[in-house]
Amino acid sequence: MSSQSDPQPPLREPDLPRTAKVRPKALRTGFTTGACSAAAARAAAELLVTGELPATVDIGFPDGKRRRFPVDSGSAEPATAVVVKDAGDDPDVTHGARLTVSVTSREDGEVVLHGGEGVGTVTKPGLGLEVGGPAINPVPRQMITDSVREVLGERGADVTITVPGGEKMAYKTTNRRLGIFGGISILGTTGIVRPFSTASWRSSVEQAVSVLSAQRGRVAVLSTGGRTERVAMRLLPDEPEVAFIEVGDFTGAAVRRAVEHGLEEVVFVGMIGKLTKLASGVVMTHYTRSKVDTGLLGRLTAEFGGSEQDVAEVSEAATARRAYEVWQRGDFFSACAHRLCELVAAVLERFSEECGRRLRVRVAMVDFEGEHVVAATEARWVTWQSR
């Protein structure tokens, strides 16, 4: 670790921006898979009762408002309706999905939800859903049930949700790692997709730590994206797949949840840009809320023997990558990069302590190709040596 005389940066966890991109005009919101499923369920229930498929339906949302959906198509036997998901100006992998819902009568007065083709099945605890049941989250369950009840009253119904192509869509999500197989999840806490909001990513990071805890995992292996995660998996092959969590900008949220769930250790694997932000005390690293402190990198360059020109070039660099390149051309790369990893570990350990309990933290830096660990708090992890 860094010496006791090293100044400790103030810890900062900036709030998310209202939107993650600035556009000259307002961005169009969209609807979640849960809201679209509820709309399709209402349309199918109306078809069951009246024999006619409505052209549009309106349903209630958690905010108390009602919103209208076009009904794409349907069929009578069984009563089935399709609503096509429109994710607004922030399309995701389920944008354009055909949420298809069938409603049939049952005698006991209950509304029972079923997952059909393209809807994932829960296979692991930790999601707040029944193991073996469909991956339909609580808020969508309530929206679907309420929408059917508005039409059927106290009559019972079996409600089956299918998503053509859902299994293929799911391969582009984190479902399999969370133990959801066979399709997508029916999601949404508000029913609304906020354009370019990264709040859903933060929620998924927190949920992933919860699932890890439910699987009795003790170590959370955090990475910033696909390339760093692949390196992390090679680095720690004995850790279960559920331990590997792509945190993006939400390192602080992951560490806080790890503390809450009693985990013992965090391993962070990233590239120099994110590591520099973390080393300067910023644990929510969205680009609109934090900048790379190249002055910190300049100080490391001076500490480990860089020339005045090197120090100036690093300190004035527009990106951390430029600092990385300057380090590479000198003989101080390994020392600077290793100290940066130490500083990140110190920041995250201190942050975890402020969250309630000090975790052990280990850190590795990955090259830009996502091939090698170039520095780490564990020397044995390094797979590349500077000249």
Side-chain angles (χ1 to χ4, degrees):
M1 287 295 166
S2 53
S3 68
Q4 294 298 314
S5 61
D6 287 336
Q8 294 189 334
L11 298 174
R12 295 193 297 119
E13 189 177 14
D15 196 10
L16 279 169
R18 187 179 64 84
T19 60
K21 292 188 178 181
V22 176
R23 294 287 183 91
K25 62 180 181 179
L27 294 167
R28 190 170 59 88
T29 60
F31 295 113
T32 63
T33 51
C36 295
S37 297
R42 177 174 183 116
E46 290 189 18
L47 176 59
L48 179 67
V49 170
T50 67
E52 295 184 2
L53 183 71
T56 63
V57 292
D58 68 90
I59 63 168
F61 277 66
D63 63 4
K65 297 179 180 178
R66 299 186 71 84
R67 295 175 174 87
R68 185 164 291 275
F69 291 74
V71 178
D72 179 81
S73 57
S75 57
E77 294 294 335
T80 301
V82 178
V83 169
V84 178
K85 180 181 173 179
D86 179 358
D89 285 335
D90 189 24
D92 58 18
V93 297
T94 60
H95 178 67
R98 298 176 63 81
L99 281 301
T100 305
V101 180
S102 298
V103 177
T104 58
S105 297
R106 58 184 292 147
E107 300 300 323
D108 59 5
E110 297 295 323
V111 173
V112 180
L113 274 54
H114 308 275
E117 178 186 354
V119 174
T121 298
V122 178
T123 67
K124 294 179 181 179
L127 292 169
L129 299 173
E130 180 184 357
V131 173
I136 307 172
N137 278 15
V139 171
R141 283 178 178 270
Q142 191 63 53
M143 290 179 70
I144 294 165
T145 300
D146 290 346
S147 296
V148 171
R149 284 280 183 219
E150 286 183 350
V151 178
L152 300 185
E154 296 304 312
R155 293 167 56 187
D158 284 301
V159 180
T160 302
I161 303 165
T162 61
V163 184
E167 185 169 7
K168 185 176 180 180
M169 294 174 196
Y171 280 98
K172 298 179 181 179
T173 73
T174 60
N175 273 11
R176 291 174 67 83
R177 185 164 304 159
L178 297 178
I180 300 171
F181 290 88
I184 65 169
S185 302
I186 305 301
L187 300 172
T189 56
T190 66
I192 303 293
V193 175
R194 301 293 178 190
F196 299 104
S197 167
T198 46
S200 60
W201 192 341
R202 179 172 59 191
S203 296
S204 71
V205 167
E206 293 170 340
Q207 186 179 60
V209 177
S210 299
V211 171
L212 171 61
S213 174
Q215 299 299 306
R216 299 182 179 177
R218 311 310 302 160
V219 180
V221 185
L222 312 182
S223 60
T224 54
R227 285 178 295 173
T228 51
E229 183 179 69
R230 287 191 290 273
V231 175
M233 287 180 166
R234 293 199 301 268
L235 202 62
L236 298 165
D238 295 332
E239 292 297 329
E241 186 179 43
V242 73
F244 296 90
I245 302 167
E246 287 188 31
V247 297
D249 295 313
F250 300 110
T251 305
V255 171
R256 181 182 294 103
R257 187 59 61 94
V259 170
E260 292 172 358
H261 281 294
L263 271 62
E264 297 171 356
E265 181 180 353
V266 164
V267 175
F268 186 89
V269 182
M271 297 180 184
I272 188 172
K274 284 289 197 294
L275 292 179
T276 303
K277 289 185 177 185
L278 291 170
S280 63
V282 181
V283 297
M284 201 292 283
T285 53
H286 194 279
Y287 76 97
T288 65
R289 289 297 189 262
S290 60
K291 295 182 179 180
V292 171
D293 183 359
T294 53
L296 181 153
L297 301 179
R299 292 190 293 275
L300 292 181
T301 306
E303 180 179 352
F304 293 104
S307 67
E308 288 187 9
Q309 180 182 344
D310 292 329
V311 173
E313 191 168 351
V314 169
S315 299
E316 297 167 8
T319 65
R321 182 167 192 149
R322 181 58 189 149
Y324 184 100
E325 293 167 351
V326 173
W327 289 357
Q328 277 188 310
R329 77 186 185 201
D331 58 2
F332 43 83
F333 179 95
S334 293
C336 290
H338 177 72
R339 176 58 63 86
L340 184 62
C341 291
E342 289 184 327
L343 293 176
V344 172
V347 163
L348 295 183
E349 287 184 353
R350 186 156 54 93
F351 180 76
S352 68
E353 189 169 30
E354 290 199 3
C355 291
R357 183 171 47 85
R358 193 177 187 90
L359 301 178
R360 181 191 185 195
V361 178
R362 294 185 287 171
V363 176
M365 181 191 294
V366 176
D367 64 13
F368 288 103
E369 291 71 38
E371 293 293 332
H372 296 288
V373 174
V374 297
T377 54
E378 295 281 337
R380 60 189 174 85
W381 287 354
V382 177
T383 59
W384 174 90
Q385 298 295 329
S386 62
R387 63 182 176 88

